[in-house]
Amino acid sequence: MTFILFVLAVAGLLMVLRQEAGAKPAIAIMAGFGVLSLIFASNWLALVLLVGAAVTAVCGLPGLRRSWLTPRVFAMFKKVAPKVSATEKVALDAGTVGWDGEIFTGKPNWNKLLVNRNNGLTDEEQAFVDNQCVHAISKCNAWDVAVERADLPPEVWEFLKKEKFFGMIIPKEYGGLGFSAKAQSAVLQRLAGNEVLMVSVGVPNSLGPGELLLKYGTDEQKDHYLPRLADGREIPCFGLTGPRAGSDATALPDTGIVCKGEYEGKEVLGLRLNFEKRWITLAPIATVVGLAFRMFDPDGLLEGEEDLGITCALIPRNTKGMDIGRRHCPIGSPFMNGPIFGKDVFIPLDFIIGGPEMAGEGWRMLVECLSVGRCITLPSGAAGAAASAVGTAGGFTRVRRQFNTPVAEMEGVQEPLARIAGLTYIAQSSVYQTANMVDNGEKPSVPSAILKYHLTEMQRQALTDAMDVHGGKAVTLGPRNYLGIGFSGTAVSITVEGANIMTRSLMIFGQGAIRCHPYVLKELAAKDNDDINAFDDAFFSHAGLIFGNAARAFTQAFGIGRPDVPFDSVTRRYAQAASRFSSAFGLCADAAMTTLGSDLKMRELISARLGDVLANLYMISMVLKNWNETQPVEGERALVEYSLSYLLNRIETALEEFFQNLPNRPVAWALKAITMPLGRNWDRPHDDVSRALARAISTDTPLREKLLRPAWTTTEEGGVDNPIAQYNDLLKHYERAEGLYRKVGKAYAKGDIPMDVLHPEDRVEAALKADILSKDEAEFMRDYEARVLEMLTVDDFAFDAFAQQKDTVIQHNAA
């Protein structure tokens, strides 16, 4: 009887904790079972339960705890709570909290995720993607752009301006296209087959003068600049980073001193600027420069503070004292990028974006714009590049034969092919659904950091895998190489708009832990306002959340109390697993903040691993939403299961690494026992699934077609060759070709074709002569083999072609 009452009491408490029902139900359960134990069972069990009920009453009932416990906890909290700097506060206040906040609760309401359905693009937007985007990229060969010109062709620049590619975010009333975030993403994915083109279009529509003007500019600034930015009369750049201010943009050494000076023949109040900027995209050709600097008023001319803070201004290119036009050479992708220097550059105060009233508001402006731009531009480019890798790697490995079989049938090749497919699916789902959130009014600051880091890392992995399966075809540069230059350019995406190392280790969890947590921000606000009642409400609700997450994580690990989720039979168990890990994440996050306190800022690897859990949960959510809203095609079930298993496996890896490295070992052991009592449940995807996916993307299937929808897959008369279109055409005829390969191969093995006939083309002719192939079959194979050989061929150059200084070439074998 004692054991039965104990089990029933524990089960009842777990039920109460799971639901975060509060102290009263818990007290009732412990008191009730305590009395039953006293009557029918063990006095010791009764004592434990009744003491537990008493302690819970004293600590959990507001009327009791506020008289003795809350003041003591509040005093301690004031001592250990992390100090939030002014710049951190701006970052925390930027953007909105949406689904990322649901993940932090430990009990995500999946219906909230599904409320705003992604209905795709408008007819106008889709037509632009299918026509203008295709025309632009069809004029860009990677070798020509990156090596021969180190620039886009002039006709492409003119076309981009004429068709308002630089005005996608600018409303139609100012002459722009007024596209949705989904449309911007689709455009950049379509252009991602050429890195220089994608960056050149993406940056003016991301962090830059256009977006800053839209949100903060004066009416006069908007009326003047926005129409000119929309039609390309003005090319913008934004000067933020410099030699000593990269990821730490708040450490700007560039200054703007308030003073009087002459402008257009009149003495006006303005700023004397001194600055040195580097790595500024579009700077060499920009006609207007957005500039971030630290603003000071030492003489009190504005009758305010001396240090006004970071400020943003717009400066025309021809402004006296500004040196602009030189270039950097970004690795693998020589898009327009360069330094800007300024020595005693005088500008009127009206050049400040938003006018003098916005002096010192630059950091807030930049952070708020980044919260949107970072989840569109580079993540979309990454998703588009991954889709291109599906097209080229799948096509190449099917037509490339070794050991008398397509290399796509070799398991060592199938593993990276399947990974390319999975990463592409995850990237596409994440960027589509997050862009849809933006279109529904959200400014997702934490998801933007998640997408920037994880999708560009997925791009790097997908292109590395594509390089591996291509072998010598991809490592030999030249006009025929459609992969190598883009692969080498992935380092740019990893580094810019917040270096990936910093984004992972400082931003994702570091910002999310305070911004997205249901109670931490309220507790800090109560501390700052010295509001003990608000603190009591937030802190003890927080305590309830901790116990609730512990109960949910523990019971769901055994399959007990799995939540009802609004997904079909294919994905239900994955959503339930995500709910379980959401509880585990919430518990671990609170444990890290509690045990490390303000030291958590410096424990970047702990923060990074918690950020990995958060990020993978977010991407799982995006895959689930995408599956729920789109019509699946044949083979897509295997792909969604591969993708979700892959992400869940990564969550378990991140949690294990977190447990191994949390300094407080007893807490780490307890967390592992609660959240993973049965050990790991999610293995990496099975080999059978990898084989199926590799075959699906290397043959003409609906799944390959769906993954390639965002990419450039067509050809245009007068345009450059499109390797994906060429592979797609070869794959349409692959089944016939494979049958004829086997027929000729069997004939050769039987001796019906002479032994010394080794080239495929020669075997076709020998097979025709021996009546093994018909005339029609031989004609088909001649054409097929010629096209395959063209796709396998690499370029060669004159001996001295690579030397810019021809007189330095050593003629090793000169006569």
Side-chain angles (χ1 to χ4, degrees):
M1 177 62 74
T2 300
F3 179 74
I4 293 173
L5 288 174
F6 172 75
V7 171
L8 291 174
V10 170
L13 285 174
L14 285 173
M15 182 73 70
V16 169
L17 292 174
R18 280 172 50 84
Q19 297 175 353
E20 297 177 38
K24 291 181 180 179
I27 294 168
I29 288 172
M30 286 187 283
F33 279 103
V35 171
L36 290 175
S37 297
L38 191 62
I39 299 172
F40 299 109
S42 165
N43 290 337
W44 283 108
L45 179 59
L47 178 64
V48 169
L49 290 172
L50 291 173
V51 169
V55 171
T56 303
V58 172
C59 296
L61 296 176
L64 294 176
R65 71 171 183 250
R66 286 180 179 175
S67 63
W68 73 279
L69 180 59
T70 301
R72 290 170 172 80
V73 175
F74 194 31
M76 184 180 298
F77 183 82
K78 288 179 179 180
K79 294 178 181 178
V80 301
K83 290 186 170 76
V84 180
S85 68
T87 53
E88 288 175 317
K89 191 174 188 309
V90 170
L92 290 172
D93 290 340
T96 58
V97 176
W99 182 249
D100 43 335
E102 280 294 312
I103 294 173
F104 262 91
T105 66
K107 47 181 180 179
N109 182 348
W110 293 96
N111 289 305
K112 288 185 178 180
L113 178 68
L114 303 179
V115 167
N116 291 316
R117 187 178 181 86
N118 185 343
N119 294 315
L121 308 183
T122 66
D123 291 342
E124 177 189 6
E125 291 170 338
Q126 189 63 57
F128 188 91
V129 173
D130 292 338
N131 296 293
Q132 282 91 333
C133 291
V134 167
H135 181 78
I137 195 170
S138 72
K139 300 300 181 183
C140 297
N141 171 271
W143 179 261
D144 174 63
V145 168
V147 179
E148 300 289 349
R149 299 177 184 272
D151 195 0
L152 298 172
E155 61 270 23
V156 173
W157 279 114
E158 288 306 312
F159 183 77
L160 296 177
K161 295 176 182 178
K162 175 177 173 289
E163 297 298 331
K164 302 182 179 180
F165 277 82
F166 303 129
M168 286 193 292
I169 66 169
I170 296 175
K172 290 185 177 181
E173 56 263 35
Y174 292 105
L177 295 175
F179 277 179
S180 65
K182 294 190 294 290
Q184 295 171 51
S185 177
V187 167
L188 297 175
Q189 289 185 71
R190 186 59 55 90
L191 301 182
N194 188 282
E195 180 82 1
V196 174
L197 178 62
M198 190 281 293
V199 171
S200 299
V201 171
V203 169
N205 289 286
S206 181
L207 175 62
E211 187 172 10
L212 292 171
L213 282 170
L214 273 174
K215 295 181 178 179
Y216 311 107
T218 64
D219 290 340
E220 184 180 2
Q221 289 171 340
K222 292 178 182 179
D223 292 340
H224 175 77
Y225 278 113
L226 290 178
R228 300 170 66 84
L229 290 169
D231 62 21
R233 283 176 288 167
E234 299 277 12
I235 298 294
C237 71
F238 193 85
L240 177 60
T241 54
R244 292 180 175 84
S247 296
D248 184 9
T250 61
L252 290 174
D254 310 297
T255 60
I257 308 298
V258 179
C259 63
K260 292 183 178 180
E262 186 176 318
Y263 180 73
E264 294 183 345
K266 299 179 182 177
E267 185 181 70
V268 297
L269 196 59
L271 294 163
R272 184 177 69 253
L273 301 169
N274 285 280
F275 54 88
E276 181 180 355
K277 302 292 187 180
R278 292 183 189 172
W279 309 299
I280 309 305
T281 299
L282 295 183
I285 62 169
T287 61
V288 60
V289 177
L291 192 78
F293 54 90
R294 189 79 168 267
M295 184 171 169
F296 296 94
D297 184 15
D299 297 326
L301 297 178
L302 298 180
E303 299 180 352
E305 296 181 6
E306 179 177 346
D307 182 357
L308 285 88
I310 295 174
T311 303
C312 298
L314 283 178
I315 307 174
R317 180 188 182 94
N318 59 2
T319 300
K320 183 179 179 181
M322 185 161 67
D323 184 1
I324 184 173
R326 295 186 65 81
R327 294 182 66 174
H328 299 312
C329 185
I331 183 171
S333 181
F335 55 90
M336 289 296 168
N337 186 277
I340 311 174
F341 306 93
K343 178 67 173 175
D344 293 332
V345 178
F346 180 79
I347 61 169
L349 288 179
D350 289 343
F351 280 22
I352 295 174
I353 296 176
E357 295 77 12
M358 293 300 288
E361 296 294 324
W363 178 236
R364 176 173 66 85
M365 294 159 64
L366 294 173
V367 170
E368 288 180 352
C369 287
L370 271 172
S371 70
V372 175
R374 287 205 312 159
C375 69
I376 302 295
T377 304
L378 289 177
S380 299
S388 294
V390 168
T392 56
F396 176 85
T397 55
R398 183 55 58 181
V399 304
R400 173 74 164 126
R401 301 176 71 83
Q402 293 279 268
F403 310 106
N404 202 33
T405 188
V407 298
E409 292 301 320
M410 299 177 178
E411 288 193 349
V413 173
Q414 289 174 336
E415 181 182 28
L417 284 180
R419 187 163 52 235
I420 291 170
L423 296 179
T424 301
Y425 193 72
I426 294 166
Q428 290 177 351
S429 300
S430 298
V431 79
Y432 278 140
Q433 299 301 335
T434 305
N436 187 60
M437 292 178 183
V438 174
D439 286 333
N440 281 283
E442 293 191 34
K443 297 177 181 178
S445 55
V446 173
S448 74
I450 290 172
L451 264 60
K452 195 281 167 179
Y453 171 78
H454 284 276
L455 266 59
T456 56
E457 291 293 342
M458 289 180 178
Q459 173 189 8
R460 173 154 62 179
Q461 182 63 63
L463 292 182
T464 298
D465 286 333
M467 288 289 293
D468 287 351
V469 301
H470 275 82
K473 166 68 178 178
V475 299
T476 307
L477 290 176
R480 288 184 175 91
N481 190 324
Y482 44 75
L483 188 59
I485 289 173
F487 164 76
S488 61
T490 56
V492 174
S493 299
I494 298 298
T495 303
V496 302
E497 288 198 14
N500 276 14
I501 290 175
M502 296 295 101
T503 299
R504 175 176 180 255
S505 60
L506 292 176
M507 294 186 64
I508 295 176
F509 180 75
Q511 186 175 10
I514 298 177
R515 185 74 176 99
C516 302
H517 194 285
Y519 301 112
V520 169
L521 206 57
K522 294 177 182 178
E523 290 165 345
L524 292 173
K527 181 201 72 164
D528 292 340
N529 297 327
D530 200 26
D531 187 340
I532 192 169
N533 290 328
F535 176 79
D536 179 84
D537 289 338
F539 181 84
F540 287 98
S541 296
H542 189 167
L545 176 68
I546 292 172
F547 287 113
N549 280 333
R552 284 188 290 270
F554 183 73
T555 55
Q556 289 179 31
F558 291 96
I560 301 170
R562 289 174 178 165
D564 185 26
V565 294
F567 296 102
D568 61 17
S569 59
V570 175
T571 55
R572 183 175 296 116
R573 70 189 186 102
Y574 298 101
Q576 289 172 335
S579 291
R580 170 201 160 195
F581 284 121
S582 172
S583 297
F585 165 72
L587 180 63
C588 292
D590 280 318
M593 288 188 283
T594 301
T595 59
L596 291 171
S598 59
D599 290 341
L600 183 57
K601 279 186 180 181
M602 305 307 297
R603 301 305 297 265
E604 295 174 17
L605 293 178
I606 296 291
S607 179
R609 285 156 186 146
L610 289 170
D612 289 345
V613 179
L614 172 62
N616 283 287
L617 284 170
Y618 182 83
M619 290 185 288
I620 286 170
S621 307
M622 298 301 102
V623 171
L624 289 169
K625 188 171 189 290
N626 192 62
W627 169 266
N628 188 70
E629 292 184 350
T630 61
Q631 184 65 38
V633 298
E634 181 183 353
E636 190 174 347
R637 174 173 179 170
L639 182 55
V640 75
E641 291 180 338
Y642 177 102
S643 302
L644 294 170
S645 297
Y646 176 86
L647 293 170
L648 286 165
N649 176 268
R650 298 207 318 178
I651 286 174
E652 290 189 330
T653 298
L655 284 173
E656 283 198 330
E657 292 177 355
F658 170 76
F659 300 143
Q660 290 166 7
N661 292 279
L662 189 67
N664 190 315
R665 300 313 299 150
V667 170
W669 297 328
L671 288 172
K672 186 171 184 179
I674 292 170
T675 61
M676 298 177 70
L678 302 178
R680 299 188 66 144
N681 293 326
W682 293 95
D683 297 325
R684 293 181 69 83
H686 196 276
D687 290 349
D688 290 342
V689 180
S690 294
R691 281 190 287 271
L693 292 181
R695 288 175 182 144
I697 69 166
S698 64
T699 53
D700 183 26
T701 63
L703 184 60
R704 174 182 166 89
E705 181 184 354
K706 185 169 186 175
L707 287 174
L708 290 180
R709 284 177 191 169
W712 174 43
T713 60
T714 59
T715 57
E716 185 169 294
E717 185 176 352
V720 301
D721 291 335
N722 182 354
I724 297 178
Q726 292 169 303
Y727 282 128
N728 282 350
D729 191 58
L730 285 169
L731 294 185
K732 288 184 186 301
H733 301 94
Y734 166 73
E735 290 296 336
R736 184 183 183 190
E738 184 59 28
L740 297 177
Y741 277 130
R742 286 196 294 267
K743 183 189 287 190
V744 173
K746 288 179 182 177
Y748 180 80
K750 289 166 55 179
D752 295 338
I753 294 175
M755 186 178 299
D756 61 348
V757 179
L758 302 178
H759 280 289
E761 296 87 351
D762 294 339
R763 287 187 182 179
V764 168
E765 300 306 324
L768 175 62
K769 187 175 181 179
D771 290 329
I772 296 166
L773 293 180
S774 68
K775 184 176 180 181
D776 180 63
E777 289 172 331
E779 184 62 32
F780 168 79
M781 287 304 295
R782 288 189 194 106
D783 176 68
Y784 190 84
E785 280 293 349
R787 290 191 290 146
V788 167
L789 183 61
E790 176 58 28
M791 300 310 294
L792 304 182
T793 299
V794 297
D795 299 288
D796 54 77
F797 300 86
F799 181 76
D800 63 351
F802 306 128
Q804 291 187 351
Q805 300 294 328
K806 303 299 181 186
D807 58 359
T808 64
V809 175
I810 301 173
Q811 299 296 337
H812 292 271
N813 296 305

